[in-house]
Amino acid sequence: MHYISTRSQEMVTSAEAIARGIAGDGGLYVPESFPVLSADAVAKLIPMSYKERAKYLLSLFLTDYSVAEIDRCVEGAYTGNFDHDEPAPLAEVEKNMCLLELWHGPTCAFKDMALQLLPRLLTVAVDKVEKGKQIVILVATSGDTGKAALEGFADVPGTRIVVFYPCDGVSAMQKLQMITQDGANVAVAGIKGNFDDAQTGVKAIFADERMRALLAQHNMAFSSANSINFGRLVPQVVYYVSAWCDLIKTGKLQRMDRFNVVVPTGNFGNILAAYYAKQMGVPVDKFVCASNRNNVLTDFLKSGIYDRNRAFYATSSPSMDILISSNLERLLFHVSGGDGAMVSHWMKQLSTSGKYAVSDEVRQRIQSEFFGGFCDEESTRRTIGELFEKDHYLCDPHTAVAVDVYRQYAKQTGDRKLALIASTASAYKFAPAVLPAVYVG
């Protein structure tokens, strides 16, 4: 298994992709091809534990890691760090609607699913391709990634980590989690601006030849813990495949039954992981991309025009307050037939003018699999309250956005297939938004 840049034909191993984080041309690494799960492989996966499934699936993507290395990474990540050692349980809330709870880790957010594993994968990768170097991890966060990355990398030998977050763009709990992080190798910096400003700044540092040369003089190298790093993405593929196996195991689905996946997303990484699971053979019918008031992805999925030149809103679902969705670049590469030159052209337009338009052919390919919708603040509050009152289920604002957009999709299309909805954070991380929504006294 090799990985290529979305903007050129640069090709690397999985260890090189994870160690570098981002390609030298500014592109993102994607698999040269996708492993396909045979019927026999699925039959073996269904009775397995989450850790067993993770080891098997990671071995398909990380072919230059040994069995022992993958085993050590997975055991370290998923043993004792998640409630009841069940990292991704399912909760059936309504008929034909299952929530994939991804927030049972140490920071109560879905980012733990990858960021408990990535530091382990990264240290193995560095030992293979950058032996002896200290890795400097740069992270831009809209809230949850920062704390999960700090927690995962704290005091990991051979690493330093710097997290940049928007001072006024995260919840009080998210900020408190970050600025109180222990660890001799961690640093946190609040910036004036929003997540897009932080992400743009981090990418600029990665692309700065002088900075890379300065680090090299001190036997250091940059890497990333954001979802631009494939090492962040592949653990997310695991939990979608695992959820499908659990749906079969519990009788909610038959082996070839098609179902829909609904994801609240701003940076497009979490929903892209589900798309990758489909490329492996998971029978997903429609990907429902749920946005909050910052609905740049909704507009793109409907029109084929990506335009970040719009008002930015601070919402009750801050992890989705994003106008530049980095992982969309990977999807564009795949649906354009691997046209790195075209992807590079679109990304240059986004950088210079803040917008680009894909061809009708590319737009139609995306629309054949993706539905985009958004949920405003009032609908978010109403959905939290309804789920609590009618179903006795307490959800956070991000999950509420996904539930509301799924309901919009079902109403518009009449599609009643089982929906797997990614629940991305604990309600208790967003108490100021959740409490008024459920308080009826």
PDB file of all heavy atoms in Angstrom, residues 12-35:
ATOM      1  N   VAL A  12       4.560   7.860  -1.327  1.00  0.00           N
ATOM      2  CA  VAL A  12       5.291   7.517  -0.106  1.00  0.00           C
ATOM      3  C   VAL A  12       4.675   6.266   0.513  1.00  0.00           C
ATOM      4  O   VAL A  12       3.599   5.817   0.121  1.00  0.00           O
ATOM      5  CB  VAL A  12       5.238   8.677   0.918  1.00  0.00           C
ATOM      6  CG1 VAL A  12       5.934   9.917   0.388  1.00  0.00           C
ATOM      7  CG2 VAL A  12       3.778   8.983   1.304  1.00  0.00           C
ATOM      8  N   THR A  13       5.354   5.724   1.504  1.00  0.00           N
ATOM      9  CA  THR A  13       4.806   4.614   2.286  1.00  0.00           C
ATOM     10  C   THR A  13       3.862   5.165   3.348  1.00  0.00           C
ATOM     11  O   THR A  13       3.814   6.381   3.592  1.00  0.00           O
ATOM     12  CB  THR A  13       5.922   3.829   2.981  1.00  0.00           C
ATOM     13  OG1 THR A  13       6.549   4.697   3.957  1.00  0.00           O
ATOM     14  CG2 THR A  13       6.959   3.343   1.980  1.00  0.00           C
ATOM     15  N   SER A  14       3.155   4.292   4.017  1.00  0.00           N
ATOM     16  CA  SER A  14       2.245   4.746   5.068  1.00  0.00           C
ATOM     17  C   SER A  14       3.017   5.405   6.209  1.00  0.00           C
ATOM     18  O   SER A  14       2.576   6.412   6.776  1.00  0.00           O
ATOM     19  CB  SER A  14       1.400   3.587   5.589  1.00  0.00           C
ATOM     20  OG  SER A  14       2.201   2.589   6.165  1.00  0.00           O
ATOM     21  N   ALA A  15       4.170   4.855   6.559  1.00  0.00           N
ATOM     22  CA  ALA A  15       4.964   5.446   7.637  1.00  0.00           C
ATOM     23  C   ALA A  15       5.429   6.852   7.260  1.00  0.00           C
ATOM     24  O   ALA A  15       5.411   7.771   8.091  1.00  0.00           O
ATOM     25  CB  ALA A  15       6.164   4.558   7.960  1.00  0.00           C
ATOM     26  N   GLU A  16       5.839   7.025   6.011  1.00  0.00           N
ATOM     27  CA  GLU A  16       6.257   8.357   5.562  1.00  0.00           C
ATOM     28  C   GLU A  16       5.085   9.327   5.572  1.00  0.00           C
ATOM     29  O   GLU A  16       5.221  10.492   5.978  1.00  0.00           O
ATOM     30  CB  GLU A  16       6.851   8.263   4.154  1.00  0.00           C
ATOM     31  CG  GLU A  16       8.205   7.584   4.103  1.00  0.00           C
ATOM     32  CD  GLU A  16       8.680   7.327   2.681  1.00  0.00           C
ATOM     33  OE1 GLU A  16       7.844   6.962   1.819  1.00  0.00           O
ATOM     34  OE2 GLU A  16       9.884   7.509   2.426  1.00  0.00           O
ATOM     35  N   ALA A  17       3.907   8.880   5.145  1.00  0.00           N
ATOM     36  CA  ALA A  17       2.718   9.740   5.126  1.00  0.00           C
ATOM     37  C   ALA A  17       2.362  10.196   6.532  1.00  0.00           C
ATOM     38  O   ALA A  17       2.036  11.376   6.752  1.00  0.00           O
ATOM     39  CB  ALA A  17       1.544   8.994   4.495  1.00  0.00           C
ATOM     40  N   ILE A  18       2.436   9.286   7.494  1.00  0.00           N
ATOM     41  CA  ILE A  18       2.072   9.624   8.866  1.00  0.00           C
ATOM     42  C   ILE A  18       3.140  10.507   9.506  1.00  0.00           C
ATOM     43  O   ILE A  18       2.823  11.473  10.218  1.00  0.00           O
ATOM     44  CB  ILE A  18       1.835   8.348   9.681  1.00  0.00           C
ATOM     45  CG1 ILE A  18       0.552   7.657   9.189  1.00  0.00           C
ATOM     46  CG2 ILE A  18       1.733   8.651  11.172  1.00  0.00           C
ATOM     47  CD1 ILE A  18       0.315   6.285   9.778  1.00  0.00           C
ATOM     48  N   ALA A  19       4.405  10.221   9.256  1.00  0.00           N
ATOM     49  CA  ALA A  19       5.477  11.019   9.844  1.00  0.00           C
ATOM     50  C   ALA A  19       5.475  12.447   9.309  1.00  0.00           C
ATOM     51  O   ALA A  19       5.689  13.404  10.059  1.00  0.00           O
ATOM     52  CB  ALA A  19       6.829  10.357   9.576  1.00  0.00           C
ATOM     53  N   ARG A  20       5.208  12.606   8.008  1.00  0.00           N
ATOM     54  CA  ARG A  20       5.238  13.940   7.410  1.00  0.00           C
ATOM     55  C   ARG A  20       3.961  14.721   7.664  1.00  0.00           C
ATOM     56  O   ARG A  20       3.977  15.938   7.786  1.00  0.00           O
ATOM     57  CB  ARG A  20       5.489  13.826   5.905  1.00  0.00           C
ATOM     58  CG  ARG A  20       6.849  13.235   5.562  1.00  0.00           C
ATOM     59  CD  ARG A  20       7.003  13.072   4.057  1.00  0.00           C
ATOM     60  NE  ARG A  20       8.244  12.383   3.721  1.00  0.00           N
ATOM     61  CZ  ARG A  20       8.616  12.071   2.483  1.00  0.00           C
ATOM     62  NH1 ARG A  20       7.826  12.388   1.459  1.00  0.00           N
ATOM     63  NH2 ARG A  20       9.763  11.440   2.262  1.00  0.00           N
ATOM     64  N   GLY A  21       2.844  14.051   7.672  1.00  0.00           N
ATOM     65  CA  GLY A  21       1.571  14.710   7.925  1.00  0.00           C
ATOM     66  C   GLY A  21       0.970  15.336   6.691  1.00  0.00           C
ATOM     67  O   GLY A  21      -0.199  15.136   6.369  1.00  0.00           O
ATOM     68  N   ILE A  22       1.749  16.109   5.966  1.00  0.00           N
ATOM     69  CA  ILE A  22       1.289  16.791   4.763  1.00  0.00           C
ATOM     70  C   ILE A  22       2.349  16.640   3.687  1.00  0.00           C
ATOM     71  O   ILE A  22       3.550  16.561   3.993  1.00  0.00           O
ATOM     72  CB  ILE A  22       0.984  18.279   5.056  1.00  0.00           C
ATOM     73  CG1 ILE A  22       0.244  18.952   3.899  1.00  0.00           C
ATOM     74  CG2 ILE A  22       2.254  19.034   5.407  1.00  0.00           C
ATOM     75  CD1 ILE A  22      -0.295  20.325   4.253  1.00  0.00           C
ATOM     76  N   ALA A  23       1.943  16.546   2.429  1.00  0.00           N
ATOM     77  CA  ALA A  23       2.890  16.343   1.331  1.00  0.00           C
ATOM     78  C   ALA A  23       3.736  17.594   1.104  1.00  0.00           C
ATOM     79  O   ALA A  23       3.336  18.711   1.450  1.00  0.00           O
ATOM     80  CB  ALA A  23       2.132  15.968   0.058  1.00  0.00           C
ATOM     81  N   GLY A  24       4.879  17.395   0.493  1.00  0.00           N
ATOM     82  CA  GLY A  24       5.779  18.509   0.241  1.00  0.00           C
ATOM     83  C   GLY A  24       5.193  19.580  -0.657  1.00  0.00           C
ATOM     84  O   GLY A  24       5.580  20.751  -0.582  1.00  0.00           O
ATOM     85  N   ASP A  25       4.230  19.199  -1.518  1.00  0.00           N
ATOM     86  CA  ASP A  25       3.603  20.172  -2.421  1.00  0.00           C
ATOM     87  C   ASP A  25       2.365  20.811  -1.799  1.00  0.00           C
ATOM     88  O   ASP A  25       1.633  21.534  -2.465  1.00  0.00           O
ATOM     89  CB  ASP A  25       3.229  19.497  -3.741  1.00  0.00           C
ATOM     90  CG  ASP A  25       2.350  18.266  -3.546  1.00  0.00           C
ATOM     91  OD1 ASP A  25       1.764  18.125  -2.477  1.00  0.00           O
ATOM     92  OD2 ASP A  25       2.263  17.447  -4.484  1.00  0.00           O
ATOM     93  N   GLY A  26       2.129  20.550  -0.522  1.00  0.00           N
ATOM     94  CA  GLY A  26       0.962  21.107   0.149  1.00  0.00           C
ATOM     95  C   GLY A  26      -0.273  20.240   0.048  1.00  0.00           C
ATOM     96  O   GLY A  26      -1.303  20.541   0.663  1.00  0.00           O
ATOM     97  N   GLY A  27      -0.190  19.145  -0.710  1.00  0.00           N
ATOM     98  CA  GLY A  27      -1.323  18.250  -0.856  1.00  0.00           C
ATOM     99  C   GLY A  27      -1.476  17.313   0.331  1.00  0.00           C
ATOM    100  O   GLY A  27      -0.647  17.296   1.248  1.00  0.00           O
ATOM    101  N   LEU A  28      -2.543  16.523   0.298  1.00  0.00           N
ATOM    102  CA  LEU A  28      -2.823  15.559   1.359  1.00  0.00           C
ATOM    103  C   LEU A  28      -2.607  14.160   0.814  1.00  0.00           C
ATOM    104  O   LEU A  28      -2.920  13.878  -0.341  1.00  0.00           O
ATOM    105  CB  LEU A  28      -4.260  15.714   1.856  1.00  0.00           C
ATOM    106  CG  LEU A  28      -4.687  17.126   2.273  1.00  0.00           C
ATOM    107  CD1 LEU A  28      -6.110  17.107   2.824  1.00  0.00           C
ATOM    108  CD2 LEU A  28      -3.730  17.714   3.298  1.00  0.00           C
ATOM    109  N   TYR A  29      -2.096  13.282   1.638  1.00  0.00           N
ATOM    110  CA  TYR A  29      -1.851  11.913   1.199  1.00  0.00           C
ATOM    111  C   TYR A  29      -3.150  11.104   1.202  1.00  0.00           C
ATOM    112  O   TYR A  29      -3.948  11.180   2.130  1.00  0.00           O
ATOM    113  CB  TYR A  29      -0.823  11.239   2.102  1.00  0.00           C
ATOM    114  CG  TYR A  29       0.573  11.797   1.955  1.00  0.00           C
ATOM    115  CD1 TYR A  29       1.216  12.417   3.029  1.00  0.00           C
ATOM    116  CD2 TYR A  29       1.258  11.706   0.743  1.00  0.00           C
ATOM    117  CE1 TYR A  29       2.504  12.925   2.897  1.00  0.00           C
ATOM    118  CE2 TYR A  29       2.535  12.210   0.601  1.00  0.00           C
ATOM    119  CZ  TYR A  29       3.156  12.820   1.679  1.00  0.00           C
ATOM    120  OH  TYR A  29       4.425  13.332   1.544  1.00  0.00           O
ATOM    121  N   VAL A  30      -3.329  10.314   0.147  1.00  0.00           N
ATOM    122  CA  VAL A  30      -4.482   9.420   0.023  1.00  0.00           C
ATOM    123  C   VAL A  30      -3.972   8.043  -0.411  1.00  0.00           C
ATOM    124  O   VAL A  30      -2.914   7.933  -1.029  1.00  0.00           O
ATOM    125  CB  VAL A  30      -5.511   9.935  -1.010  1.00  0.00           C
ATOM    126  CG1 VAL A  30      -6.102  11.261  -0.561  1.00  0.00           C
ATOM    127  CG2 VAL A  30      -4.887  10.069  -2.397  1.00  0.00           C
ATOM    128  N   PRO A  31      -4.723   6.984  -0.100  1.00  0.00           N
ATOM    129  CA  PRO A  31      -4.285   5.652  -0.530  1.00  0.00           C
ATOM    130  C   PRO A  31      -4.259   5.554  -2.058  1.00  0.00           C
ATOM    131  O   PRO A  31      -5.142   6.088  -2.740  1.00  0.00           O
ATOM    132  CB  PRO A  31      -5.356   4.720   0.047  1.00  0.00           C
ATOM    133  CG  PRO A  31      -6.021   5.502   1.126  1.00  0.00           C
ATOM    134  CD  PRO A  31      -5.955   6.926   0.687  1.00  0.00           C
ATOM    135  N   GLU A  32      -3.225   4.887  -2.567  1.00  0.00           N
ATOM    136  CA  GLU A  32      -3.145   4.667  -4.014  1.00  0.00           C
ATOM    137  C   GLU A  32      -4.330   3.836  -4.489  1.00  0.00           C
ATOM    138  O   GLU A  32      -4.843   4.022  -5.595  1.00  0.00           O
ATOM    139  CB  GLU A  32      -1.832   3.953  -4.325  1.00  0.00           C
ATOM    140  CG  GLU A  32      -1.556   3.761  -5.799  1.00  0.00           C
ATOM    141  CD  GLU A  32      -0.262   3.002  -6.042  1.00  0.00           C
ATOM    142  OE1 GLU A  32       0.232   2.333  -5.104  1.00  0.00           O
ATOM    143  OE2 GLU A  32       0.259   3.092  -7.174  1.00  0.00           O
ATOM    144  N   SER A  33      -4.802   2.923  -3.646  1.00  0.00           N
ATOM    145  CA  SER A  33      -5.993   2.127  -3.918  1.00  0.00           C
ATOM    146  C   SER A  33      -6.568   1.708  -2.571  1.00  0.00           C
ATOM    147  O   SER A  33      -5.914   1.857  -1.535  1.00  0.00           O
ATOM    148  CB  SER A  33      -5.669   0.895  -4.764  1.00  0.00           C
ATOM    149  OG  SER A  33      -4.739   0.054  -4.080  1.00  0.00           O
ATOM    150  N   PHE A  34      -7.799   1.192  -2.590  1.00  0.00           N
ATOM    151  CA  PHE A  34      -8.449   0.806  -1.339  1.00  0.00           C
ATOM    152  C   PHE A  34      -8.515  -0.711  -1.208  1.00  0.00           C
ATOM    153  O   PHE A  34      -8.897  -1.398  -2.169  1.00  0.00           O
ATOM    154  CB  PHE A  34      -9.864   1.379  -1.258  1.00  0.00           C
ATOM    155  CG  PHE A  34      -9.894   2.866  -1.061  1.00  0.00           C
ATOM    156  CD1 PHE A  34     -10.004   3.725  -2.147  1.00  0.00           C
ATOM    157  CD2 PHE A  34      -9.782   3.407   0.211  1.00  0.00           C
ATOM    158  CE1 PHE A  34     -10.023   5.097  -1.969  1.00  0.00           C
ATOM    159  CE2 PHE A  34      -9.792   4.777   0.400  1.00  0.00           C
ATOM    160  CZ  PHE A  34      -9.914   5.625  -0.687  1.00  0.00           C
ATOM    161  N   PRO A  35      -8.185  -1.236  -0.045  1.00  0.00           N
ATOM    162  CA  PRO A  35      -8.372  -2.681   0.180  1.00  0.00           C
ATOM    163  C   PRO A  35      -9.869  -2.975   0.230  1.00  0.00           C
ATOM    164  O   PRO A  35     -10.650  -2.188   0.774  1.00  0.00           O
ATOM    165  CB  PRO A  35      -7.711  -2.916   1.537  1.00  0.00           C
ATOM    166  CG  PRO A  35      -7.786  -1.596   2.234  1.00  0.00           C
ATOM    167  CD  PRO A  35      -7.671  -0.559   1.158  1.00  0.00           C
TER     168      PRO A  35
END
